[in-house]
């Protein structure tokens, strides 16, 4: 699709743009380059902190669930879905740009709608994943040596190293009745009748019940920076996806109203496309740094 | 379906848009296959967790990193059409990004250094009272 440019063209001799690109597109590229440095700085800062501690949260343990799959252990599954949604919406976006080159308004409309749906699908996945982490229930040992049921937030997370069974027994002895009930309840996975049954048990009965459960495992609390980096970076990326969806909706409406036909070209679709592909590009690296390695 | 025509003084040579969508779909498959290979390697690391040597884990992670850079190349070059722009323009985008090479090496080795200092208590001075006690002990030994 590149232009046929005569060999030996003197770009810098004056009278023409040495870049052969419109001002708007040049500036979109430079904005995206600066944004790449912002994301790069975030990810490298994350990497630095991750390299500076002896133990980091294992992504295969943190991200191992899938909507409606209950407690099944499915590492990498949900994030693959998110990745393919974003790749596919990138393809529909580039198809929209392609239709724009041929001044085909109906084609642009169709592919913009598909791109918007892909973006919303990705955001929904991210909303589910955040909710799952923020309301998650995992047992971890606090600094005071007691066990507690923790979610993953920017202040705390349960993704430290596993405790040995003797460490668990010592910690259980120190743990309050309230927390023992909460821990026992995580083992019943919220069965309604069981909830009331455990509250009436004594501490020792609760400890026996918890310790005899083969599914029970507990960890140290995880590296505190994990939550901040995860929610910060995926949140910043998610905000880019969100603004990308808004831009795409505006572009869809403008296409529908025939603004680009009047203008004689669909360059705005190309610029929105550049932004959208950039969002996909950043995800490729977020996917690498948080989920794969 | 008339080809677009814009009267833009910044564009000396009009790009040729007569190509079909074949290349787009080809790149879609390339990206999908690269992603599937990445996931397979990621799953390999998970399934063999604790059994692999440090060198194997590190080199698998490096391969995943290289595949990621390949994906980034295809997205930028084909989907964002940067490969179709003139060389002058490509260079103004790509050359500044070379800073990342230094950026990554410098910061990740700094992180490793922090870890080593923390584990060996290297680089930390003894507290002032300890220094005084040590000096006093040395003095009395004489």
């Amino acid at each position: 699709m590149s232009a046929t440019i005569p060999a030996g063209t003197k770009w810098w001799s004056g009278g023409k743009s040495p870049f052969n690109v419109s001002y708007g597109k040049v500036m979109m590229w430079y904005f995206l380059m600066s944004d790449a440095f912002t994301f790069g700085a975030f990810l490298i800062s994350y990497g630095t902190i991750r390299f500076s501690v002896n133990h980091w949260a294992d992504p295969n343990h943190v991200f191992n669930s899938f909507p409606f799959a209950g407690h099944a252990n499915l590492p990498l599954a949900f994030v693959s879905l998110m990745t393919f949604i974003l790749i596919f919406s990138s393809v529909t976006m580039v198809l929209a740009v392609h239709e724009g080159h041929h001044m085909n308004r109906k084609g642009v409309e169709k592919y913009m709608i598909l791109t918007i749906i892909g973006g919303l699908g990705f955001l929904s996945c991210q909303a589910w994943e955040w909710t799952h982490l923020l309301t998650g229930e995992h047992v971890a040992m606090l600094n005071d040596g007691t066990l507690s049921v923790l979610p993953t937030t920017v202040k705390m997370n349960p993704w430290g190293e596993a405790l040995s069974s003797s460490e668990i027994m010592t910690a259980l002895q120190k743990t309050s009745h309230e927390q023992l009930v909460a821990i026992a309840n995580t083992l019943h996975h919220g069965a309604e009748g069981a909830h009331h049954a455990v509250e009436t048990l004594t501490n020792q009965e609760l400890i026996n019940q918890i310790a005899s459960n083969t599914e029970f495992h507990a960890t140290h609390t995880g590296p505190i920076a994990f939550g901040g980096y995860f929610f910060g970076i995926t949140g910043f990326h998610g905000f880019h996806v969100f603004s990308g969806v808004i831009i795409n909706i505006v572009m869809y409406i403008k296409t529908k109203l025939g603004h680009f036909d009047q203008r004689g070209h669909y360059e705005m679709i190309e610029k929105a496309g550049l932004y959208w592909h950039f969002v996909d590009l950043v995800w490729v690296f977020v996917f690498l740094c948080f989920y794969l390695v | 379906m008339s080809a677009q025509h814009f009267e833009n003084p910044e564009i000396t040579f009009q790009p040729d848009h007569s190509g079909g969508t074949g290349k787009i779909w080809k790149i879609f498959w390339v990206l999908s296959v690269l992603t599937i290979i990445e996931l397979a390697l990621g799953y390999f690391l998970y399934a063999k967790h604790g059994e692999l040597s440090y060198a194997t884990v590190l080199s698998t992670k490096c391969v995943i990193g290289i595949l990621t850079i390949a994906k980034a190349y295809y997205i930028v070059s084909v989907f964002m059409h940067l490969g179709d722009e003139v060389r002058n323009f490509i260079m103004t985008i790509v050359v500044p990004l070379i800073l990342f090479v230094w950026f990554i090496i410098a910061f990740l080795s700094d992180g490793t250094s922090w870890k080593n200092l923390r584990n060996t208590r290297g680089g930390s001075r003894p507290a002032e009272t300890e220094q005084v006690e040590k000096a006093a002990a040395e003095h009395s030994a004489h």
Side-chain angles (χ1 to χ4, degrees), chain A residues 1 6 16-21 23 30 37 44 52-54 60 73 91 94 98 101-103 265-266 284, chain B residues 2 4 10 12-13 16-17 19 24 28 46 68 79-81 85-86 88 92 96 103 107 111 115 118-119:
Chain A
M1 281 197 277
K16 58 178 163 301
S17 160
F19 291 161
N20 203 39
V21 187
Y23 176 78
Y30 290 161
F37 276 107
I44 289 166
S52 77
V53 295
N54 288 314
N60 290 315
N73 178 32
V91 172
V94 74
H98 180 85
H101 287 150
H102 294 95
M103 299 297 285
H265 60 83
Y266 277 76
V284 165
Chain B
S2 65
Q4 73 178 346
E10 289 151 323
T12 318
F13 301 100
D16 168 26
H17 292 304
I24 296 171
F28 165 72
Y46 165 71
T68 296
F79 282 5
M80 297 170 92
H81 301 297
E85 304 291 358
V86 300
N88 292 332
T92 66
F103 211 20
F107 277 80
K115 181 171 77 181
R118 200 175 283 166
N119 288 344

Side-chain angles (χ1 to χ4, degrees), chain B residues 115-128:
Chain B
K115 181 171 77 181
N116 295 338
L117 290 174
R118 200 175 283 166
N119 288 344
T120 57
R121 292 181 142 270
S124 64
R125 289 195 303 164
E128 225 166 272

